[in-house]
Amino acid sequence: MAESSPFLQYVAEEMYTRRYAKRTIETYLHWIKFFILFHKKRHPKDLQDEHVEQFLTHLAVNRNVAVQTQALALNALSFLYKEIIKQPLALSLNFNQAAKPRKLPVVLTKPEVKRLLTCVDPQYLLLAQLLYGSGLRLMEAVRLRVNAIDFDYLSLMVWHGKGGKHRRVTLAPELVEPLRRQISLVEAFYQQDMQTVDFAGVWLPFALARKYPAAPKELGWQYLFPSARLSIDPQFSVLRRHHIDESGLQKAVRFAAQKATIGKNVTCHTLRHSFATHLLEAGMDIRTVQEQLGHTDVKTTQIYTHVLKQGGNAVKSPLSQLL
């Protein structure tokens, strides 16, 4: 997207310099481009607060976007005017607030989850099992690294999850052997990559890469679900092995839902919703479920149920009841 406009390319470079996450850069560029097109391709420096208000009102009234979507667009424009244009927006903009109600999560029953997992392409089965068995978000699963697995304590470490937070989540013991086999696959790729002259190692967050300069070429930091091919890192123009493309897992879950004749709108996130709901149904206390999901506010977790039973302290993965 940014390549089509020198201005957007400049914004992208500024965000890279400030160490913004790749997904954040892509999202902000999307809304900034949308804002420019909405105002007939006028340059943002020629637009004022009222033009931002008009755009945000358009999103709410004509596009009927969710509250979170409108807020994300505002964040992108706030960054644009504060850091790029150097003219911060007013603190009290006057625009129509989006009022589209938040959708209730789609949740599968345990028999539906079992049918779904039975129909998932074997190539993506372990990932789908982790989504449900550990309540991972899509990108948390595909970004897992070898050293994130704690076999001794049957848990996974999620680093830099949503909001940059870290947390420890439960791991179903039934997945220990499949994970060991997956690590063997990673080792095979690793040995092959280390024989490649131009291999620069796996990508690491900036602070971590500075603190441990040798880490990119250590086995423990390699992605647990690596891409089948090496590719050029667009930011640093070096050869790396990235993680698999998440779109493959998304397609596999959707196809499995159709094959299992599940009449619900099933996505990867549905497995995370089901994880939380089944834990609560089993009597797990809501604070523990909140920690497992990585929610900042318990109110976010409360969407899954209104009647909670206080359970024990140990977290047992619901996947264990299926396998």
Side-chain angles (χ1 to χ4, degrees), residues 16-293:
Y16 274 123
T17 301
R18 298 166 190 265
R19 305 298 193 239
Y20 277 77
K22 182 174 180 289
R23 290 302 174 98
T24 303
I25 295 174
E26 292 173 349
T27 302
Y28 276 25
L29 289 177
H30 166 79
W31 288 113
I32 292 171
K33 181 178 181 180
F34 193 176
F35 173 68
I36 294 172
L37 293 175
F38 176 76
H39 286 294
K40 312 300 183 184
K41 298 185 178 181
R42 293 174 62 186
H43 197 285
K45 66 181 177 60
D46 298 324
L47 304 173
Q48 309 300 324
D49 286 2
E50 58 266 26
H51 297 99
V52 174
E53 293 170 347
Q54 292 168 11
F55 177 66
L56 295 174
T57 296
H58 166 73
L59 293 180
V61 176
N62 300 321
R63 299 298 293 264
N64 195 31
V65 301
V67 175
Q68 297 91 332
T69 303
Q70 189 186 46
L72 189 56
L74 176 57
N75 289 342
L77 296 180
S78 294
F79 170 83
L80 172 66
Y81 278 92
K82 180 180 179 181
E83 306 297 342
I84 305 298
I85 307 299
K86 306 298 183 182
Q87 296 177 2
L89 299 173
L91 295 178
S92 56
L93 293 176
N94 182 23
F95 59 91
N96 285 17
Q97 298 269 340
K100 187 176 181 180
R102 184 175 182 178
K103 294 181 179 178
L104 290 175
V106 175
V107 176
L108 302 179
T109 64
K110 291 178 182 178
E112 286 175 331
V113 173
K114 190 169 186 177
R115 279 164 40 210
L116 177 75
L117 294 178
T118 301
C119 296
V120 172
D121 184 328
Q123 178 183 353
Y124 296 101
L125 177 58
L126 180 54
L127 271 163
Q129 290 173 322
L130 287 170
L131 293 178
Y132 174 67
S134 300
L136 299 179
R137 298 180 176 93
L138 171 64
M139 295 310 300
E140 290 173 346
V142 299
R143 288 173 178 164
L144 282 173
R145 302 190 188 245
V146 172
N147 60 12
I149 307 172
D150 189 334
F151 290 115
D152 294 327
Y153 289 93
L154 289 178
S155 60
L156 300 173
M157 285 302 303
V158 177
W159 300 102
H160 301 285
K162 189 174 181 179
K165 294 178 292 185
H166 312 316
R167 73 183 191 280
R168 184 182 290 270
V169 299
T170 188
L171 172 64
E174 291 79 6
L175 296 184
V176 168
E177 286 309 312
L179 283 169
R180 291 193 187 279
R181 291 195 296 270
Q182 183 65 25
I183 291 176
S184 296
L185 174 64
V186 176
E187 289 176 340
F189 276 127
Y190 174 72
Q191 295 300 331
Q192 175 183 320
D193 294 342
M194 292 301 289
Q195 301 302 316
T196 303
V197 177
D198 297 330
F199 180 61
V202 71
W203 179 87
L204 288 180
F206 303 100
L208 194 62
R210 287 196 302 270
K211 188 175 182 180
Y212 303 108
K217 291 190 176 182
E218 293 177 359
L219 175 62
W221 289 104
Q222 306 307 304
Y223 285 116
L224 184 60
F225 297 97
S227 169
R229 294 179 295 179
L230 293 170
S231 58
I232 299 297
D233 183 332
Q235 184 177 358
F236 299 103
S237 299
V238 295
L239 192 64
R240 301 190 191 279
R241 188 178 295 278
H242 203 49
H243 56 68
I244 65 168
D245 190 325
E246 67 277 10
S247 64
L249 175 58
Q250 291 172 316
K251 293 175 183 176
V253 169
R254 286 198 301 267
F255 181 76
Q258 296 173 1
K259 188 176 179 181
T261 63
I262 297 174
K264 298 177 181 178
N265 182 26
V266 179
T267 67
C268 290
H269 217 61
T270 302
L271 293 171
R272 174 175 158 88
H273 292 322
S274 302
F275 163 84
T277 303
H278 295 168
L279 281 183
L280 292 170
E281 287 178 348
M284 190 60 59
D285 66 275
I286 194 168
R287 291 292 181 180
T288 301
V289 177
Q290 176 192 358
E291 292 174 0
Q292 290 284 305
L293 295 174

